[in-house]
Amino acid sequence: MSITIALAGNPNSGKTTLFNLLTGSSQYVGNWPGVTVERKEGLYKKEQDIRIVDLPGIYSLSPYTLEEVVSRDYLINEKPDVIINIIDATNLERNLYLTTQLIELGLPVVVALNMMDLVDKTGEKILTDELEDHLGCKVVKISALRKTGIEELIDTCKKEKDRKVVIKEEYSAELEKFITSTEEVSSKIKNSIASRFLAIKLLENDEKIFEKLNLDSSELSKVKEITERMENEFDDDGEGIITDARYTFVSKITKHIVKNKRAGLTTSDKIDRVVTNRFLAIPIFAVFMFAIYYISIKVGNDIVGEWVNGTLIEGIIQGGATNLLEGWGVADWLISLVVDGIIGGVGGVIGFLPVIAFLYFFIAILEDIGYMSRIAFILDRVLRKFGLSGKSFIPILIGMGCSIPGIMATRTIESDKDRRLTIMVASFMPCGAKTDIIALFAGAIFVGKWWFAPICYFAGILAVIISGVILKKTKAFIGEAAPFVMELPAYHMPILSNILRTTWQRLKAFIIKAGTIILLSSIVIWLLSNISTTGKFVEFSDDSHSILEAIGRFIAPIFAPLGFGDWTATVASIMGLVAKEMVVGTYGVVSGLGELGADDPTLLEFAAKSFTTVTAMSFMMFNQLTVPCFAAVGAIRSEMKSAKWTLATIAYQVLFSYTIALMIYQFGRILILGEALNIWTGVAIVILLVYLFLLFRASKKRELTGKL
Ligand code: GDP
Ligand code: MG
């Protein structure tokens, strides 16, 4: 006999930890049908006939967020055999709010009091027997992290599965009479959902439930009449009354069941006093991040990366492959395709792996111990102003390693709008590969100007902010942001297996994309750059008349208003679409210098002659802000789950980078280089005015529809 168990609980209550523990590696991750919220399913590793379904983290079963709707629909329609309501026991009162709604569903519920290890440390006692009495369902104490109480939890579920559920919870005599009269209506409607759940949702004016039940007019007027009487008696709207009743109920039982309630500050509270301090929080965070980047780049790039790039890829793999193929008498063009095109293209990306691995390892530590959720919380107030959420910051941070895992990290953002917006802006920060272009100009043009690299990062932040403000005012993103409510879990010592798993998941995303999309585009680009317009195999160079060169020459005039309208810079930018670190290498090749690193003196000298401060800045910003590499576009496509949104993102990024670079060049040309005004000055002024308008126009408030 197989059993389906659904895990429901607040975000951060430990659902994922429990789910991973129960299912081991036998899990299936996908999306809920039709929506982008993650769907996780797996089999209990000790008994393969127990299926575990992880529902999205929620605070309530109301219809306001996608997560709530997904969870509710699942519970109502699929009717799992048992619901495990996982609760952060250090935060009972807040968590039990959801419990009141789950028990109303009329399905067997087992409450798992998680994080008992933390509760035990404080000496606090939770009286589970009494809690069971109040709720009318079983309660089991567990610690998902320390792996205690898990078997008892599953055993209890197996026993509870066939129990006839009687809903015991009562709010207050005054309220119960309204619920009972509504239940008279809801129990008559042919439906398999518990009549009490329906009655309460009807009193809450839950539109989705009204839609679902399709009441006839006499039922409808009866419900309206009861609701009105209730609203008059309590002098509040239906939803407010019920919410209040739930809170009162929950706080009453919490008082009864918690003994030795701790007084004073826990260790976590003490740490929080410092790290979330109003003045210290951001500086402390900045120091952490600086240290992380410093170590990652020092160790990852300068030590491991050098070896991977120079010795392993160039020396052993490329050198070995060349020798081998030459030995077999393979044609030159094929050797070039394999060694330069394929191995070179993919290897260039793999070369970033060490830095990114270190970076993600450290970020995962900060996430695991509970520090990152605090920072997200602190930044939320600021980011809200730009249409983003506190949770947008982790994707943007991760994007500074590589945009692909950054874009994938947007999955943790519950609200659809926040998530889409974050995906659209996540690649504006310089990723590991873009730092090559920064290095080129820092060495060639902005020599001794320490501020150049920081300015690129600052420009990235500014681009995120500007885009957030502008896009938030458009129809697709308008609307109140979902409030950021989040349990802040107590700090705990880092757990290596968690950290390695997170790091590996992010790296894997990066490797898979590099192995597929980058492989394909490397081949295409090799063909375009090594076949001449007359169809002959040529060595790609400054005068090889390759197809790529022809394309570059054709497109180049488009970039003239940005100050780099020659075909070499154009081709370099096109290559950037394959992978941004190819911009510098390509630039060297098409300039007739050969493939040189960003710190090569010949290349620096050449770049210093062909760029001015203004054109360098314009070129830099165009490449930084424009569409990221194809692999990242692939990630955008798979996270947006919509061709329309992917195209919108690409269009926005092209338009944004083009107009920003145009303004930089046109204004810089006049203000810094003292050149004469021309027609493009006018265009730049018009663009500036449009931006100012988009930034400062009044935001239309969302029209409230229905009974929200
Ligand atoms: P979810 O948002 O519900 O999926 O929660 P997670 O599983 O991601 O857990 C949130 C945080 O709580 C993580 O940092 C976990 O390591 C931590 N956590 C989960 N269960 C326990 C537990 O039993 N004890 C302690 N001390 N921490 C836990
Ligand atoms: Mg989770």
Side-chain angles (χ1 to χ4, degrees):
M1 254 288 276
S2 71
I3 316 184
T4 302
I5 300 178
L7 298 185
N10 291 9
N12 265 317
S13 56
K15 269 170 353 76
T16 304
T17 313
L18 179 63
F19 180 80
N20 288 340
L21 182 62
L22 291 174
T23 57
S25 54
S26 62
Q27 39 187 284
Y28 164 81
V29 181
N31 277 297
W32 295 92
V35 293
T36 48
V37 177
E38 196 167 84
R39 175 185 185 124
K40 280 197 278 181
E41 277 187 41
L43 301 176
Y44 180 38
K45 61 184 174 196
K46 296 199 180 142
E47 289 170 53
Q48 298 280 315
D49 55 352
I50 300 183
R51 198 163 66 100
I52 318 273
V53 178
D54 189 18
L55 296 177
I58 46 173
Y59 294 100
S60 164
L61 288 180
S62 50
Y64 298 137
T65 69
L66 196 54
E67 288 67 28
E68 290 169 348
V69 175
V70 164
S71 300
R72 192 164 88 167
D73 283 353
Y74 177 81
L75 294 171
I76 291 179
N77 300 329
E78 310 287 320
K79 295 209 175 331
D81 298 301
V82 185
I83 302 173
I84 292 183
N85 173 208
I86 179 163
I87 278 183
D88 172 358
T90 61
N91 240 318
L92 261 189
E93 198 162 334
R94 168 90 63 86
N95 281 250
L96 283 172
Y97 184 79
L98 174 67
T99 314
T100 59
Q101 309 188 40
L102 291 173
I103 53 185
E104 283 160 11
L105 283 167
L107 298 170
V109 174
V110 175
V111 170
L113 287 184
N114 189 32
M115 316 234 180
M116 282 310 296
D117 55 320
L118 295 177
V119 175
D120 289 341
K121 256 192 235 153
T122 63
E124 210 173 277
K125 279 254 161 331
I126 299 177
L127 308 177
T128 41
D129 290 350
E130 301 207 354
L131 184 57
E132 289 182 347
D133 279 347
H134 285 294
L135 298 174
C137 66
K138 288 280 170 211
V139 176
V140 182
K141 292 179 173 173
I142 67 163
S143 165
L145 196 67
R146 310 279 165 221
K147 307 184 178 145
T148 57
I150 307 301
E151 300 211 342
E152 189 193 342
L153 177 65
I154 299 295
D155 285 341
T156 312
C157 289
K158 287 199 273 190
K159 287 192 206 119
E160 284 297 286
K161 165 178 160 314
D162 300 311
R163 187 170 69 94
K164 170 107 186 61
V165 181
V166 185
I167 302 170
K168 276 180 71 178
E169 138 231 83
E170 285 207 341
Y171 293 125
S172 68
E174 298 85 64
L175 187 59
E176 285 309 319
K177 70 178 190 242
F178 294 108
I179 298 180
T180 334
S181 4
T182 316
E183 237 182 305
E184 278 170 24
V185 181
S186 63
S187 62
K188 290 208 198 85
I189 305 166
K190 262 179 77 87
N191 204 293
S192 59
I193 313 168
S195 56
R196 185 179 168 92
F197 177 81
L198 292 178
I200 293 178
K201 288 293 157 198
L202 291 176
L203 288 173
E204 281 181 350
N205 269 321
D206 189 316
E207 275 189 68
K208 288 235 158 55
I209 297 291
F210 274 97
E211 264 167 42
K212 193 174 168 74
L213 292 180
N214 206 3
L215 305 177
D216 67 29
S217 58
S218 78
E219 291 162 339
L220 204 58
S221 60
K222 183 123 194 260
V223 171
K224 294 273 176 231
E225 185 259 322
I226 300 170
T227 313
E228 242 163 63
R229 262 196 296 133
M230 178 182 78
E231 291 182 341
N232 286 335
E233 189 171 320
F234 285 85
D235 195 22
D236 196 353
D237 67 347
E239 198 178 358
I241 298 167
I242 305 276
T243 307
D244 200 49
R246 288 191 205 285
Y247 274 124
T248 317
F249 176 75
V250 164
S251 85
K252 205 174 66 199
I253 53 182
T254 324
K255 276 209 198 73
H256 282 295
I257 58 160
V258 184
K259 294 286 170 247
N260 302 338
K261 195 148 181 55
R262 58 166 183 251
L265 297 177
T266 62
T267 319
S268 266
D269 294 338
K270 284 182 202 145
I271 299 176
D272 272 343
R273 283 209 148 174
V274 182
V275 301
T276 64
N277 174 290
R278 216 143 55 97
F279 304 104
L280 293 178
I282 301 290
I284 291 178
F285 174 63
V287 170
F288 270 131
M289 286 329 293
F290 179 79
I292 287 181
Y293 273 88
Y294 187 78
I295 299 172
S296 302
I297 288 174
K298 265 275 166 277
V299 184
N301 210 20
D302 299 356
I303 303 174
V304 188
E306 287 281 288
W307 183 83
V308 170
N309 280 322
T311 314
L312 183 68
I313 297 177
E314 273 173 37
I316 301 179
I317 302 182
Q318 286 185 310
T322 310
N323 288 338
L324 192 71
L325 294 173
E326 275 174 354
W328 288 346
V330 172
D332 275 354
W333 67 268
L334 193 56
I335 297 181
S336 164
L337 171 62
V338 174
V339 174
D340 302 331
I342 300 177
I343 305 180
V346 176
V349 180
I350 299 293
F352 287 106
L353 209 56
V355 187
I356 295 180
F358 277 101
L359 195 60
Y360 290 167
F361 179 75
F362 291 121
I363 291 179
I365 294 180
L366 293 186
E367 281 181 271
D368 189 67
I369 61 174
Y371 178 66
M372 283 304 195
S373 42
R374 267 105 179 146
I375 296 299
F377 194 76
I378 290 168
L379 292 180
D380 188 64
R381 280 238 315 266
V382 185
L383 291 170
R384 281 275 153 234
K385 299 202 170 77
F386 315 120
L388 298 163
S389 118
K391 291 189 176 169
S392 309
F393 125 87
I394 297 240
I396 293 171
L397 186 69
I398 291 178
M400 287 164 68
C402 164
S403 302
I404 298 163
I407 289 162
M408 296 179 64
T410 56
R411 278 185 201 170
T412 57
I413 303 174
E414 280 95 14
S415 141
D416 248 4
K417 285 180 187 168
D418 293 355
R419 187 177 54 245
R420 289 205 190 104
L421 192 52
T422 311
I423 295 174
M424 292 178 89
V425 302
S427 58
F428 284 159
M429 293 303 279
C431 68
K434 290 176 191 164
T435 53
D436 252 21
I437 317 176
I438 297 182
L440 172 70
F441 289 127
I445 309 284
F446 299 94
V447 188
K449 305 280 187 338
W450 61 268
W451 44 260
F452 176 64
I455 260 194
C456 295
Y457 286 86
F458 184 72
I461 298 175
L462 210 59
V464 169
I465 292 176
I466 293 174
S467 301
V469 173
I470 289 180
L471 292 171
K472 204 179 89 165
K473 291 180 181 177
T474 62
K475 220 168 89 207
F477 291 103
I478 238 168
E480 283 307 303
F484 187 81
V485 245
M486 182 163 164
E487 304 297 333
L488 295 182
Y491 289 101
H492 63 75
M493 292 304 281
I495 295 168
L496 191 64
S497 60
N498 283 354
I499 295 167
L500 291 179
R501 186 172 47 231
T502 312
T503 309
W504 171 238
Q505 275 170 354
R506 288 177 180 151
L507 279 182
K508 197 169 70 181
F510 173 77
I511 296 171
I512 291 175
K513 294 284 190 243
T516 51
I517 298 186
I518 298 197
L519 179 71
L520 273 179
S521 37
S522 299
I523 295 176
V524 172
I525 286 292
W526 184 91
L527 291 174
L528 293 179
S529 53
N530 287 274
I531 297 176
S532 73
T533 41
T534 51
K536 283 205 281 292
F537 166 66
V538 288
E539 184 92 22
F540 186 44
S541 73
D542 52 335
D543 62 347
S544 58
H545 306 290
S546 62
I547 299 178
L548 190 61
E549 178 182 332
I551 298 176
R553 285 186 194 279
F554 182 72
I555 304 181
I558 298 179
F559 293 112
L562 315 194
F564 49 92
D566 62 352
W567 74 274
T568 51
T570 306
V571 164
S573 301
I574 297 176
M575 289 295 227
L577 296 177
V578 179
K580 294 287 171 198
E581 82 279 1
M582 288 172 78
V583 171
V584 172
T586 308
Y587 182 68
V589 172
V590 290
S591 306
L593 307 170
E595 178 138 9
L596 302 172
D599 53 358
D600 185 277
T602 332
L603 184 62
L604 290 179
E605 197 186 322
F606 183 79
K609 272 191 295 196
S610 21
F611 283 94
T612 64
T613 45
V614 176
T615 53
M617 204 57 164
S618 155
F619 183 76
M620 177 68 223
M621 282 304 129
F622 176 76
N623 278 288
Q624 178 180 328
L625 301 176
T626 199
V627 181
C629 60
F630 287 135
V633 172
I636 293 175
R637 173 72 184 87
S638 57
E639 292 308 312
M640 287 284 196
K641 300 235 167 358
S642 138
K644 198 186 85 192
W645 273 106
T646 310
L647 287 178
T649 305
I650 294 176
Y652 179 75
Q653 289 170 339
V654 169
L655 208 64
F656 185 72
S657 55
Y658 187 89
T659 46
I660 295 289
L662 188 141
M663 284 192 286
I664 290 177
Y665 175 62
Q666 295 302 334
F667 293 136
R669 204 171 58 80
I670 289 155
L671 301 176
I672 298 173
L673 307 183
E675 291 175 16
L677 305 181
N678 64 20
I679 177 132
W680 287 106
T681 325
V683 175
I685 291 174
V686 171
I687 293 175
L688 180 65
L689 291 176
V690 171
Y691 269 104
L692 290 175
F693 168 74
L694 292 174
L695 275 172
F696 295 108
R697 72 183 167 143
S699 169
K700 287 200 204 67
K701 281 274 174 281
R702 178 179 62 158
E703 290 170 29
L704 286 180
T705 47
K707 282 233 163 201
L708 273 179

